């Protein structure tokens, strides 16, 4: 059996990103999202999570700024605890999983700390619990043909596919325009049809 979590990163980044993620869930194949707890749209993202129980929502830990790590090995746990506490205040529940902005959990300086934190809180973790695919990202990788190809090459078992849908709404970000193209792709009827043809079961993190 092939089971697929389609996880939208950056819930909470802005109201436009939140709106796009909700649309990709309600009209597309997104099953899960990861919340940034300190961004301008965080409170709105918390409301969205509470009102949409069909969407698995995890913690998108932010430990980087301008490509620089903002924690040390010693301070990482405290910062993760703070963000987890903030998540629980916003969503009024525990996260279904944990991952990190720009995949900082891979950084060798904090990877072991991140894994220990996830295990201690019994939080499924990106790449630690199941395999993760990050190939639906970037100008050259977004589009219906690309996503259909990814689905066609999906391995048996459980896989997470990362994505970043949203509405730019004037955001000054290097990934603003691609967010809207991702949204168009994830909600394209051909994508859902292909999922059904291939017998792929769409699940959220809570279904693991």
């Amino acid at each position: 059996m092939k089971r697929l979590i389609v996880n939208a990163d950056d819930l909470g980044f802005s109201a436009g990103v939140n709106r796009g993620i909700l649309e990709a869930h309600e009209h597309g194949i997104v099953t899960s999202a990861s919340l940034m707890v300190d961004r301008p749209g965080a409170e709105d993202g918390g409301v969205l999570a509470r009102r949409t129980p069909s969407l698995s929502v995890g913690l998108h830990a932010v430990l980087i700024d301008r490509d620089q790590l903002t924690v040390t090995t010693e301070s990482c746990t405290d910062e993760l605890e703070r963000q987890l506490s903030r998540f629980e205040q916003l969503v009024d529940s525990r996260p279904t999983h944990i991952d990190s902005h720009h995949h900082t959990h891979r950084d060798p300086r904090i990877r072991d700390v991140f894994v220990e934190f996830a295990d201690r809180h019994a939080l499924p973790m990106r790449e630690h619990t199941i395999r993760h695919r990050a190939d639906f990202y970037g100008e050259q990788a977004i589009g219906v043909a690309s996503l259909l190809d990814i689905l066609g090459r999906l391995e048996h078992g459980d896989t997470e596919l990362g994505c970043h849908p949203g509405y730019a709404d004037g955001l000054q970000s290097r990934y603003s325009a691609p967010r809207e193209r991702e949204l168009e792709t994830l909600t394209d009827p051909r994508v859902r049809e292909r999922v059904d043809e291939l017998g792929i079961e769409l699940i959220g993190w809570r279904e693991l």
Side-chain angles (χ1 to χ4, degrees), residues 59 61 63 76-85 87-88 94-95 97-99 110-125 128:
L59 173 62
L63 306 171
C76 183
T77 297
D78 287 344
E79 178 58 18
L80 288 171
E81 292 286 358
R82 184 193 70 79
Q83 293 189 32
L84 175 60
S85 177
F87 178 100
E88 293 173 341
R94 283 172 46 82
H97 62 285
I98 186 170
D99 53 47
I110 62 170
R111 174 170 171 74
D112 289 347
V113 177
F114 209 104
V115 170
E116 188 278 331
F117 175 85
D119 287 346
R120 178 158 46 83
H121 286 281
L123 293 173
M125 175 181 157
H128 180 58

PDB file of all heavy atoms in Angstrom, residues 59 61 63 76-85 87-88 94-95 97-99 110-125 128:
ATOM      1  N   LEU A  59       4.001  21.363  14.482  1.00  0.00           N
ATOM      2  CA  LEU A  59       4.855  22.509  14.787  1.00  0.00           C
ATOM      3  C   LEU A  59       5.953  22.642  13.744  1.00  0.00           C
ATOM      4  O   LEU A  59       6.719  21.700  13.509  1.00  0.00           O
ATOM      5  CB  LEU A  59       5.480  22.332  16.174  1.00  0.00           C
ATOM      6  CG  LEU A  59       6.540  23.372  16.583  1.00  0.00           C
ATOM      7  CD1 LEU A  59       5.942  24.776  16.633  1.00  0.00           C
ATOM      8  CD2 LEU A  59       7.152  22.993  17.931  1.00  0.00           C
ATOM      9  N   ALA A  61       9.040  24.322  13.565  1.00  0.00           N
ATOM     10  CA  ALA A  61       9.995  25.023  14.415  1.00  0.00           C
ATOM     11  C   ALA A  61      10.900  25.934  13.586  1.00  0.00           C
ATOM     12  O   ALA A  61      11.471  25.506  12.581  1.00  0.00           O
ATOM     13  CB  ALA A  61      10.840  24.020  15.184  1.00  0.00           C
ATOM     14  N   LEU A  63      14.231  27.957  13.671  1.00  0.00           N
ATOM     15  CA  LEU A  63      15.495  28.066  14.402  1.00  0.00           C
ATOM     16  C   LEU A  63      16.560  28.711  13.531  1.00  0.00           C
ATOM     17  O   LEU A  63      17.752  28.523  13.760  1.00  0.00           O
ATOM     18  CB  LEU A  63      15.951  26.668  14.837  1.00  0.00           C
ATOM     19  CG  LEU A  63      14.943  25.849  15.642  1.00  0.00           C
ATOM     20  CD1 LEU A  63      15.427  24.420  15.811  1.00  0.00           C
ATOM     21  CD2 LEU A  63      14.675  26.489  16.995  1.00  0.00           C
ATOM     22  N   CYS A  76      18.924  25.020  22.203  1.00  0.00           N
ATOM     23  CA  CYS A  76      17.927  24.505  21.270  1.00  0.00           C
ATOM     24  C   CYS A  76      16.704  23.932  21.986  1.00  0.00           C
ATOM     25  O   CYS A  76      15.564  24.216  21.612  1.00  0.00           O
ATOM     26  CB  CYS A  76      18.556  23.454  20.361  1.00  0.00           C
ATOM     27  SG  CYS A  76      17.439  22.812  19.099  1.00  0.00           S
ATOM     28  N   THR A  77      16.929  23.139  23.023  1.00  0.00           N
ATOM     29  CA  THR A  77      15.803  22.520  23.720  1.00  0.00           C
ATOM     30  C   THR A  77      14.865  23.560  24.314  1.00  0.00           C
ATOM     31  O   THR A  77      13.642  23.451  24.195  1.00  0.00           O
ATOM     32  CB  THR A  77      16.302  21.573  24.825  1.00  0.00           C
ATOM     33  OG1 THR A  77      17.048  20.508  24.233  1.00  0.00           O
ATOM     34  CG2 THR A  77      15.134  20.994  25.616  1.00  0.00           C
ATOM     35  N   ASP A  78      15.419  24.584  24.946  1.00  0.00           N
ATOM     36  CA  ASP A  78      14.582  25.624  25.546  1.00  0.00           C
ATOM     37  C   ASP A  78      13.745  26.338  24.492  1.00  0.00           C
ATOM     38  O   ASP A  78      12.566  26.654  24.727  1.00  0.00           O
ATOM     39  CB  ASP A  78      15.441  26.644  26.293  1.00  0.00           C
ATOM     40  CG  ASP A  78      16.004  26.099  27.596  1.00  0.00           C
ATOM     41  OD1 ASP A  78      15.495  25.058  28.066  1.00  0.00           O
ATOM     42  OD2 ASP A  78      16.944  26.707  28.138  1.00  0.00           O
ATOM     43  N   GLU A  79      14.331  26.599  23.335  1.00  0.00           N
ATOM     44  CA  GLU A  79      13.593  27.286  22.278  1.00  0.00           C
ATOM     45  C   GLU A  79      12.497  26.385  21.714  1.00  0.00           C
ATOM     46  O   GLU A  79      11.381  26.852  21.437  1.00  0.00           O
ATOM     47  CB  GLU A  79      14.540  27.742  21.172  1.00  0.00           C
ATOM     48  CG  GLU A  79      13.857  28.433  19.998  1.00  0.00           C
ATOM     49  CD  GLU A  79      13.052  29.658  20.386  1.00  0.00           C
ATOM     50  OE1 GLU A  79      13.254  30.221  21.486  1.00  0.00           O
ATOM     51  OE2 GLU A  79      12.180  30.059  19.576  1.00  0.00           O
ATOM     52  N   LEU A  80      12.788  25.108  21.554  1.00  0.00           N
ATOM     53  CA  LEU A  80      11.762  24.176  21.093  1.00  0.00           C
ATOM     54  C   LEU A  80      10.617  24.075  22.103  1.00  0.00           C
ATOM     55  O   LEU A  80       9.441  24.024  21.722  1.00  0.00           O
ATOM     56  CB  LEU A  80      12.366  22.804  20.836  1.00  0.00           C
ATOM     57  CG  LEU A  80      13.256  22.688  19.594  1.00  0.00           C
ATOM     58  CD1 LEU A  80      13.975  21.333  19.588  1.00  0.00           C
ATOM     59  CD2 LEU A  80      12.447  22.851  18.312  1.00  0.00           C
ATOM     60  N   GLU A  81      10.954  24.058  23.378  1.00  0.00           N
ATOM     61  CA  GLU A  81       9.919  24.015  24.419  1.00  0.00           C
ATOM     62  C   GLU A  81       9.046  25.270  24.362  1.00  0.00           C
ATOM     63  O   GLU A  81       7.820  25.189  24.518  1.00  0.00           O
ATOM     64  CB  GLU A  81      10.549  23.880  25.808  1.00  0.00           C
ATOM     65  CG  GLU A  81      11.232  22.553  26.073  1.00  0.00           C
ATOM     66  CD  GLU A  81      10.245  21.405  26.308  1.00  0.00           C
ATOM     67  OE1 GLU A  81       9.021  21.651  26.301  1.00  0.00           O
ATOM     68  OE2 GLU A  81      10.714  20.267  26.499  1.00  0.00           O
ATOM     69  N   ARG A  82       9.676  26.427  24.145  1.00  0.00           N
ATOM     70  CA  ARG A  82       8.907  27.674  24.060  1.00  0.00           C
ATOM     71  C   ARG A  82       7.947  27.636  22.878  1.00  0.00           C
ATOM     72  O   ARG A  82       6.771  28.006  23.002  1.00  0.00           O
ATOM     73  CB  ARG A  82       9.853  28.875  23.916  1.00  0.00           C
ATOM     74  CG  ARG A  82       9.123  30.219  23.922  1.00  0.00           C
ATOM     75  CD  ARG A  82      10.013  31.353  23.462  1.00  0.00           C
ATOM     76  NE  ARG A  82      10.328  31.270  22.033  1.00  0.00           N
ATOM     77  CZ  ARG A  82       9.481  31.658  21.066  1.00  0.00           C
ATOM     78  NH1 ARG A  82       8.276  32.119  21.350  1.00  0.00           N
ATOM     79  NH2 ARG A  82       9.854  31.555  19.811  1.00  0.00           N
ATOM     80  N   GLN A  83       8.442  27.184  21.730  1.00  0.00           N
ATOM     81  CA  GLN A  83       7.588  27.154  20.558  1.00  0.00           C
ATOM     82  C   GLN A  83       6.482  26.113  20.692  1.00  0.00           C
ATOM     83  O   GLN A  83       5.353  26.330  20.223  1.00  0.00           O
ATOM     84  CB  GLN A  83       8.431  26.918  19.298  1.00  0.00           C
ATOM     85  CG  GLN A  83       9.352  28.099  18.980  1.00  0.00           C
ATOM     86  CD  GLN A  83      10.033  27.988  17.636  1.00  0.00           C
ATOM     87  OE1 GLN A  83       9.487  27.434  16.685  1.00  0.00           O
ATOM     88  NE2 GLN A  83      11.238  28.532  17.532  1.00  0.00           N
ATOM     89  N   LEU A  84       6.765  24.996  21.333  1.00  0.00           N
ATOM     90  CA  LEU A  84       5.732  23.994  21.586  1.00  0.00           C
ATOM     91  C   LEU A  84       4.640  24.563  22.495  1.00  0.00           C
ATOM     92  O   LEU A  84       3.439  24.362  22.249  1.00  0.00           O
ATOM     93  CB  LEU A  84       6.351  22.751  22.221  1.00  0.00           C
ATOM     94  CG  LEU A  84       5.379  21.651  22.650  1.00  0.00           C
ATOM     95  CD1 LEU A  84       4.582  21.119  21.463  1.00  0.00           C
ATOM     96  CD2 LEU A  84       6.124  20.516  23.358  1.00  0.00           C
ATOM     97  N   SER A  85       5.044  25.268  23.546  1.00  0.00           N
ATOM     98  CA  SER A  85       4.076  25.874  24.459  1.00  0.00           C
ATOM     99  C   SER A  85       3.209  26.905  23.724  1.00  0.00           C
ATOM    100  O   SER A  85       1.984  26.957  23.914  1.00  0.00           O
ATOM    101  CB  SER A  85       4.801  26.532  25.633  1.00  0.00           C
ATOM    102  OG  SER A  85       3.886  27.183  26.485  1.00  0.00           O
ATOM    103  N   PHE A  87       2.551  26.920  20.530  1.00  0.00           N
ATOM    104  CA  PHE A  87       1.663  26.162  19.647  1.00  0.00           C
ATOM    105  C   PHE A  87       0.413  25.718  20.407  1.00  0.00           C
ATOM    106  O   PHE A  87      -0.720  25.867  19.923  1.00  0.00           O
ATOM    107  CB  PHE A  87       2.404  24.938  19.087  1.00  0.00           C
ATOM    108  CG  PHE A  87       1.556  24.069  18.189  1.00  0.00           C
ATOM    109  CD1 PHE A  87       1.661  24.178  16.810  1.00  0.00           C
ATOM    110  CD2 PHE A  87       0.663  23.139  18.718  1.00  0.00           C
ATOM    111  CE1 PHE A  87       0.884  23.377  15.969  1.00  0.00           C
ATOM    112  CE2 PHE A  87      -0.111  22.335  17.884  1.00  0.00           C
ATOM    113  CZ  PHE A  87      -0.003  22.468  16.513  1.00  0.00           C
ATOM    114  N   GLU A  88       0.614  25.150  21.582  1.00  0.00           N
ATOM    115  CA  GLU A  88      -0.516  24.636  22.356  1.00  0.00           C
ATOM    116  C   GLU A  88      -1.460  25.748  22.784  1.00  0.00           C
ATOM    117  O   GLU A  88      -2.677  25.541  22.873  1.00  0.00           O
ATOM    118  CB  GLU A  88       0.006  23.844  23.545  1.00  0.00           C
ATOM    119  CG  GLU A  88       0.719  22.556  23.121  1.00  0.00           C
ATOM    120  CD  GLU A  88       1.387  21.819  24.256  1.00  0.00           C
ATOM    121  OE1 GLU A  88       1.620  22.451  25.321  1.00  0.00           O
ATOM    122  OE2 GLU A  88       1.691  20.621  24.097  1.00  0.00           O
ATOM    123  N   ARG A  94      -2.182  19.439  21.235  1.00  0.00           N
ATOM    124  CA  ARG A  94      -0.811  19.094  20.913  1.00  0.00           C
ATOM    125  C   ARG A  94      -0.621  19.035  19.408  1.00  0.00           C
ATOM    126  O   ARG A  94      -1.559  18.734  18.661  1.00  0.00           O
ATOM    127  CB  ARG A  94      -0.457  17.725  21.513  1.00  0.00           C
ATOM    128  CG  ARG A  94      -0.187  17.734  22.992  1.00  0.00           C
ATOM    129  CD  ARG A  94      -0.030  16.328  23.535  1.00  0.00           C
ATOM    130  NE  ARG A  94       0.831  15.499  22.710  1.00  0.00           N
ATOM    131  CZ  ARG A  94       2.166  15.514  22.768  1.00  0.00           C
ATOM    132  NH1 ARG A  94       2.788  16.330  23.614  1.00  0.00           N
ATOM    133  NH2 ARG A  94       2.881  14.712  21.994  1.00  0.00           N
ATOM    134  N   PRO A  95       0.592  19.286  18.928  1.00  0.00           N
ATOM    135  CA  PRO A  95       0.854  19.118  17.493  1.00  0.00           C
ATOM    136  C   PRO A  95       0.793  17.649  17.096  1.00  0.00           C
ATOM    137  O   PRO A  95       1.071  16.766  17.905  1.00  0.00           O
ATOM    138  CB  PRO A  95       2.264  19.687  17.314  1.00  0.00           C
ATOM    139  CG  PRO A  95       2.876  19.722  18.669  1.00  0.00           C
ATOM    140  CD  PRO A  95       1.770  19.785  19.665  1.00  0.00           C
ATOM    141  N   HIS A  97       2.711  16.484  14.800  1.00  0.00           N
ATOM    142  CA  HIS A  97       4.057  16.133  14.360  1.00  0.00           C
ATOM    143  C   HIS A  97       4.946  17.350  14.540  1.00  0.00           C
ATOM    144  O   HIS A  97       4.475  18.425  14.956  1.00  0.00           O
ATOM    145  CB  HIS A  97       4.056  15.706  12.886  1.00  0.00           C
ATOM    146  CG  HIS A  97       3.622  16.780  11.943  1.00  0.00           C
ATOM    147  ND1 HIS A  97       2.305  17.167  11.801  1.00  0.00           N
ATOM    148  CD2 HIS A  97       4.330  17.579  11.106  1.00  0.00           C
ATOM    149  CE1 HIS A  97       2.205  18.140  10.907  1.00  0.00           C
ATOM    150  NE2 HIS A  97       3.427  18.419  10.477  1.00  0.00           N
ATOM    151  N   ILE A  98       6.218  17.203  14.212  1.00  0.00           N
ATOM    152  CA  ILE A  98       7.152  18.327  14.272  1.00  0.00           C
ATOM    153  C   ILE A  98       8.100  18.270  13.080  1.00  0.00           C
ATOM    154  O   ILE A  98       8.512  17.194  12.631  1.00  0.00           O
ATOM    155  CB  ILE A  98       7.948  18.336  15.601  1.00  0.00           C
ATOM    156  CG1 ILE A  98       8.814  19.611  15.715  1.00  0.00           C
ATOM    157  CG2 ILE A  98       8.791  17.082  15.750  1.00  0.00           C
ATOM    158  CD1 ILE A  98       9.430  19.813  17.092  1.00  0.00           C
ATOM    159  N   ASP A  99       8.409  19.440  12.534  1.00  0.00           N
ATOM    160  CA  ASP A  99       9.434  19.580  11.502  1.00  0.00           C
ATOM    161  C   ASP A  99      10.083  20.945  11.695  1.00  0.00           C
ATOM    162  O   ASP A  99       9.873  21.579  12.732  1.00  0.00           O
ATOM    163  CB  ASP A  99       8.843  19.386  10.094  1.00  0.00           C
ATOM    164  CG  ASP A  99       7.635  20.280   9.832  1.00  0.00           C
ATOM    165  OD1 ASP A  99       7.703  21.492  10.126  1.00  0.00           O
ATOM    166  OD2 ASP A  99       6.606  19.772   9.328  1.00  0.00           O
ATOM    167  N   ILE A 110      22.511  20.473  15.906  1.00  0.00           N
ATOM    168  CA  ILE A 110      21.312  20.365  16.735  1.00  0.00           C
ATOM    169  C   ILE A 110      20.464  19.136  16.419  1.00  0.00           C
ATOM    170  O   ILE A 110      19.443  18.925  17.066  1.00  0.00           O
ATOM    171  CB  ILE A 110      20.425  21.628  16.616  1.00  0.00           C
ATOM    172  CG1 ILE A 110      19.934  21.803  15.172  1.00  0.00           C
ATOM    173  CG2 ILE A 110      21.167  22.860  17.105  1.00  0.00           C
ATOM    174  CD1 ILE A 110      18.865  22.889  15.028  1.00  0.00           C
ATOM    175  N   ARG A 111      20.868  18.331  15.459  1.00  0.00           N
ATOM    176  CA  ARG A 111      20.032  17.204  15.054  1.00  0.00           C
ATOM    177  C   ARG A 111      19.711  16.280  16.233  1.00  0.00           C
ATOM    178  O   ARG A 111      18.556  15.907  16.441  1.00  0.00           O
ATOM    179  CB  ARG A 111      20.688  16.401  13.928  1.00  0.00           C
ATOM    180  CG  ARG A 111      19.888  15.154  13.599  1.00  0.00           C
ATOM    181  CD  ARG A 111      20.326  14.423  12.362  1.00  0.00           C
ATOM    182  NE  ARG A 111      19.622  13.140  12.260  1.00  0.00           N
ATOM    183  CZ  ARG A 111      18.349  13.003  11.909  1.00  0.00           C
ATOM    184  NH1 ARG A 111      17.620  14.070  11.624  1.00  0.00           N
ATOM    185  NH2 ARG A 111      17.791  11.813  11.844  1.00  0.00           N
ATOM    186  N   ASP A 112      20.710  15.884  17.005  1.00  0.00           N
ATOM    187  CA  ASP A 112      20.457  14.964  18.110  1.00  0.00           C
ATOM    188  C   ASP A 112      19.524  15.582  19.143  1.00  0.00           C
ATOM    189  O   ASP A 112      18.671  14.891  19.726  1.00  0.00           O
ATOM    190  CB  ASP A 112      21.776  14.558  18.768  1.00  0.00           C
ATOM    191  CG  ASP A 112      22.607  13.642  17.875  1.00  0.00           C
ATOM    192  OD1 ASP A 112      22.071  13.131  16.872  1.00  0.00           O
ATOM    193  OD2 ASP A 112      23.806  13.462  18.173  1.00  0.00           O
ATOM    194  N   VAL A 113      19.671  16.874  19.382  1.00  0.00           N
ATOM    195  CA  VAL A 113      18.800  17.579  20.331  1.00  0.00           C
ATOM    196  C   VAL A 113      17.368  17.579  19.821  1.00  0.00           C
ATOM    197  O   VAL A 113      16.413  17.345  20.577  1.00  0.00           O
ATOM    198  CB  VAL A 113      19.287  19.026  20.548  1.00  0.00           C
ATOM    199  CG1 VAL A 113      18.347  19.779  21.484  1.00  0.00           C
ATOM    200  CG2 VAL A 113      20.704  19.042  21.100  1.00  0.00           C
ATOM    201  N   PHE A 114      17.208  17.825  18.526  1.00  0.00           N
ATOM    202  CA  PHE A 114      15.885  17.864  17.907  1.00  0.00           C
ATOM    203  C   PHE A 114      15.209  16.487  18.006  1.00  0.00           C
ATOM    204  O   PHE A 114      14.028  16.383  18.369  1.00  0.00           O
ATOM    205  CB  PHE A 114      16.016  18.287  16.441  1.00  0.00           C
ATOM    206  CG  PHE A 114      14.826  19.009  15.891  1.00  0.00           C
ATOM    207  CD1 PHE A 114      14.848  20.381  15.704  1.00  0.00           C
ATOM    208  CD2 PHE A 114      13.682  18.308  15.545  1.00  0.00           C
ATOM    209  CE1 PHE A 114      13.742  21.050  15.186  1.00  0.00           C
ATOM    210  CE2 PHE A 114      12.571  18.965  15.022  1.00  0.00           C
ATOM    211  CZ  PHE A 114      12.602  20.343  14.843  1.00  0.00           C
ATOM    212  N   VAL A 115      15.965  15.442  17.688  1.00  0.00           N
ATOM    213  CA  VAL A 115      15.414  14.086  17.745  1.00  0.00           C
ATOM    214  C   VAL A 115      15.024  13.728  19.176  1.00  0.00           C
ATOM    215  O   VAL A 115      13.946  13.155  19.424  1.00  0.00           O
ATOM    216  CB  VAL A 115      16.433  13.070  17.188  1.00  0.00           C
ATOM    217  CG1 VAL A 115      15.981  11.640  17.472  1.00  0.00           C
ATOM    218  CG2 VAL A 115      16.618  13.271  15.683  1.00  0.00           C
ATOM    219  N   GLU A 116      15.877  14.062  20.148  1.00  0.00           N
ATOM    220  CA  GLU A 116      15.582  13.763  21.548  1.00  0.00           C
ATOM    221  C   GLU A 116      14.319  14.489  21.997  1.00  0.00           C
ATOM    222  O   GLU A 116      13.475  13.909  22.710  1.00  0.00           O
ATOM    223  CB  GLU A 116      16.773  14.178  22.419  1.00  0.00           C
ATOM    224  CG  GLU A 116      16.662  13.748  23.877  1.00  0.00           C
ATOM    225  CD  GLU A 116      15.804  14.683  24.735  1.00  0.00           C
ATOM    226  OE1 GLU A 116      15.737  15.890  24.410  1.00  0.00           O
ATOM    227  OE2 GLU A 116      15.199  14.209  25.716  1.00  0.00           O
ATOM    228  N   PHE A 117      14.166  15.737  21.570  1.00  0.00           N
ATOM    229  CA  PHE A 117      12.975  16.512  21.923  1.00  0.00           C
ATOM    230  C   PHE A 117      11.723  15.856  21.348  1.00  0.00           C
ATOM    231  O   PHE A 117      10.716  15.681  22.040  1.00  0.00           O
ATOM    232  CB  PHE A 117      13.125  17.941  21.385  1.00  0.00           C
ATOM    233  CG  PHE A 117      11.918  18.805  21.590  1.00  0.00           C
ATOM    234  CD1 PHE A 117      11.728  19.494  22.779  1.00  0.00           C
ATOM    235  CD2 PHE A 117      10.955  18.945  20.600  1.00  0.00           C
ATOM    236  CE1 PHE A 117      10.610  20.295  22.977  1.00  0.00           C
ATOM    237  CE2 PHE A 117       9.835  19.745  20.775  1.00  0.00           C
ATOM    238  CZ  PHE A 117       9.664  20.417  21.964  1.00  0.00           C
ATOM    239  N   ALA A 118      11.776  15.486  20.063  1.00  0.00           N
ATOM    240  CA  ALA A 118      10.621  14.851  19.419  1.00  0.00           C
ATOM    241  C   ALA A 118      10.267  13.534  20.110  1.00  0.00           C
ATOM    242  O   ALA A 118       9.086  13.253  20.373  1.00  0.00           O
ATOM    243  CB  ALA A 118      10.922  14.615  17.944  1.00  0.00           C
ATOM    244  N   ASP A 119      11.262  12.735  20.420  1.00  0.00           N
ATOM    245  CA  ASP A 119      11.012  11.450  21.067  1.00  0.00           C
ATOM    246  C   ASP A 119      10.427  11.639  22.469  1.00  0.00           C
ATOM    247  O   ASP A 119       9.503  10.921  22.873  1.00  0.00           O
ATOM    248  CB  ASP A 119      12.298  10.637  21.149  1.00  0.00           C
ATOM    249  CG  ASP A 119      12.742  10.084  19.801  1.00  0.00           C
ATOM    250  OD1 ASP A 119      11.924  10.097  18.852  1.00  0.00           O
ATOM    251  OD2 ASP A 119      13.907   9.654  19.694  1.00  0.00           O
ATOM    252  N   ARG A 120      10.964  12.601  23.210  1.00  0.00           N
ATOM    253  CA  ARG A 120      10.492  12.824  24.580  1.00  0.00           C
ATOM    254  C   ARG A 120       9.035  13.256  24.607  1.00  0.00           C
ATOM    255  O   ARG A 120       8.283  12.900  25.517  1.00  0.00           O
ATOM    256  CB  ARG A 120      11.397  13.871  25.252  1.00  0.00           C
ATOM    257  CG  ARG A 120      10.990  14.230  26.670  1.00  0.00           C
ATOM    258  CD  ARG A 120      12.157  14.811  27.442  1.00  0.00           C
ATOM    259  NE  ARG A 120      12.877  15.806  26.655  1.00  0.00           N
ATOM    260  CZ  ARG A 120      12.508  17.094  26.547  1.00  0.00           C
ATOM    261  NH1 ARG A 120      11.417  17.521  27.164  1.00  0.00           N
ATOM    262  NH2 ARG A 120      13.235  17.942  25.834  1.00  0.00           N
ATOM    263  N   HIS A 121       8.632  14.032  23.600  1.00  0.00           N
ATOM    264  CA  HIS A 121       7.244  14.492  23.540  1.00  0.00           C
ATOM    265  C   HIS A 121       6.367  13.579  22.676  1.00  0.00           C
ATOM    266  O   HIS A 121       5.204  13.903  22.424  1.00  0.00           O
ATOM    267  CB  HIS A 121       7.188  15.918  23.004  1.00  0.00           C
ATOM    268  CG  HIS A 121       7.646  16.952  23.984  1.00  0.00           C
ATOM    269  ND1 HIS A 121       6.840  17.405  25.014  1.00  0.00           N
ATOM    270  CD2 HIS A 121       8.840  17.611  24.107  1.00  0.00           C
ATOM    271  CE1 HIS A 121       7.505  18.310  25.717  1.00  0.00           C
ATOM    272  NE2 HIS A 121       8.718  18.457  25.195  1.00  0.00           N
ATOM    273  N   ALA A 122       6.925  12.460  22.235  1.00  0.00           N
ATOM    274  CA  ALA A 122       6.190  11.499  21.402  1.00  0.00           C
ATOM    275  C   ALA A 122       5.592  12.171  20.171  1.00  0.00           C
ATOM    276  O   ALA A 122       4.436  11.934  19.806  1.00  0.00           O
ATOM    277  CB  ALA A 122       5.094  10.806  22.223  1.00  0.00           C
ATOM    278  N   LEU A 123       6.407  13.005  19.523  1.00  0.00           N
ATOM    279  CA  LEU A 123       5.969  13.709  18.322  1.00  0.00           C
ATOM    280  C   LEU A 123       6.604  13.064  17.088  1.00  0.00           C
ATOM    281  O   LEU A 123       7.829  13.030  16.969  1.00  0.00           O
ATOM    282  CB  LEU A 123       6.393  15.186  18.379  1.00  0.00           C
ATOM    283  CG  LEU A 123       5.725  16.041  19.450  1.00  0.00           C
ATOM    284  CD1 LEU A 123       6.373  17.421  19.483  1.00  0.00           C
ATOM    285  CD2 LEU A 123       4.228  16.152  19.193  1.00  0.00           C
ATOM    286  N   PRO A 124       5.796  12.554  16.173  1.00  0.00           N
ATOM    287  CA  PRO A 124       6.367  12.086  14.905  1.00  0.00           C
ATOM    288  C   PRO A 124       7.161  13.222  14.267  1.00  0.00           C
ATOM    289  O   PRO A 124       6.752  14.384  14.315  1.00  0.00           O
ATOM    290  CB  PRO A 124       5.135  11.718  14.074  1.00  0.00           C
ATOM    291  CG  PRO A 124       4.063  11.450  15.079  1.00  0.00           C
ATOM    292  CD  PRO A 124       4.339  12.398  16.212  1.00  0.00           C
ATOM    293  N   MET A 125       8.290  12.878  13.653  1.00  0.00           N
ATOM    294  CA  MET A 125       9.204  13.909  13.148  1.00  0.00           C
ATOM    295  C   MET A 125       9.562  13.660  11.692  1.00  0.00           C
ATOM    296  O   MET A 125       9.784  12.514  11.288  1.00  0.00           O
ATOM    297  CB  MET A 125      10.475  13.904  14.008  1.00  0.00           C
ATOM    298  CG  MET A 125      11.563  14.838  13.545  1.00  0.00           C
ATOM    299  SD  MET A 125      13.014  14.712  14.620  1.00  0.00           S
ATOM    300  CE  MET A 125      14.297  15.317  13.520  1.00  0.00           C
ATOM    301  N   HIS A 128      12.546  11.423  10.445  1.00  0.00           N
ATOM    302  CA  HIS A 128      12.896  10.530  11.543  1.00  0.00           C
ATOM    303  C   HIS A 128      11.854   9.421  11.674  1.00  0.00           C
ATOM    304  O   HIS A 128      12.192   8.271  11.967  1.00  0.00           O
ATOM    305  CB  HIS A 128      12.995  11.321  12.843  1.00  0.00           C
ATOM    306  CG  HIS A 128      13.352  10.509  14.052  1.00  0.00           C
ATOM    307  ND1 HIS A 128      14.504   9.765  14.136  1.00  0.00           N
ATOM    308  CD2 HIS A 128      12.697  10.326  15.234  1.00  0.00           C
ATOM    309  CE1 HIS A 128      14.558   9.174  15.311  1.00  0.00           C
ATOM    310  NE2 HIS A 128      13.470   9.478  15.991  1.00  0.00           N
TER     311      HIS A 128
END
